[in-house]
């Protein structure tokens, strides 16, 4: 069984994507005990809560890496390796 890949990490925020997850295309983010599920195409939070500052960082990161996130989503659906995505700097 594969573990949930950590695809990026920045400012204490950890970004994960599950294998064979349900639609819509999304990823999971964790920060200091907070958890959110983020829609890749819309950049909106589907579930959970985050502190505002960290949520804004995730929103910026999604905007910069949307194509890579979608590629990873498709790779996961095809049971291929999920690739690391650069963090915010």
């Amino acid at each position: 069984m594969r573990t949930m890949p950590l695809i990026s990490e920045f400012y204490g925020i950890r970004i994960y994507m599950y294998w064979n997850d349900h639609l819509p295309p999304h990823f999971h983010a964790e920060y200091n005990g907070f958890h959110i599920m983020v829609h890749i195409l819309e950049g909106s939070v589907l579930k959970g809560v985050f502190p505002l500052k960290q949520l804004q960082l995730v929103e910026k990161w999604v905007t910069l890496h949307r194509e890579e996130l979608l590629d990873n989503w498709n790779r996961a659906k095809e049971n291929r390796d999920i690739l690391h995505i650069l963090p915010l700097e």
Side-chain angles (χ1 to χ4, degrees), residues 8-62:
S8 195
E9 185 172 9
F10 49 91
Y11 303 108
I13 301 165
R14 298 170 63 86
I15 307 290
Y16 297 94
M17 191 174 287
Y18 285 107
W19 298 99
N20 298 315
D21 211 347
H22 58 84
L23 290 172
H26 65 277
F27 62 88
H28 301 261
E30 296 179 356
Y31 174 78
N32 200 24
F34 293 94
H35 304 272
I36 55 174
M37 187 169 65
V38 180
H39 193 293
I40 294 171
L41 296 173
E42 297 174 5
S44 59
V45 174
L46 295 168
K47 185 177 180 181
V49 295
F50 240 38
L52 181 59
K53 181 178 178 182
Q54 285 71 27
L55 178 59
Q56 290 170 334
L57 292 171
V58 170
E59 289 170 343
K60 181 178 180 181
W61 182 81
V62 172

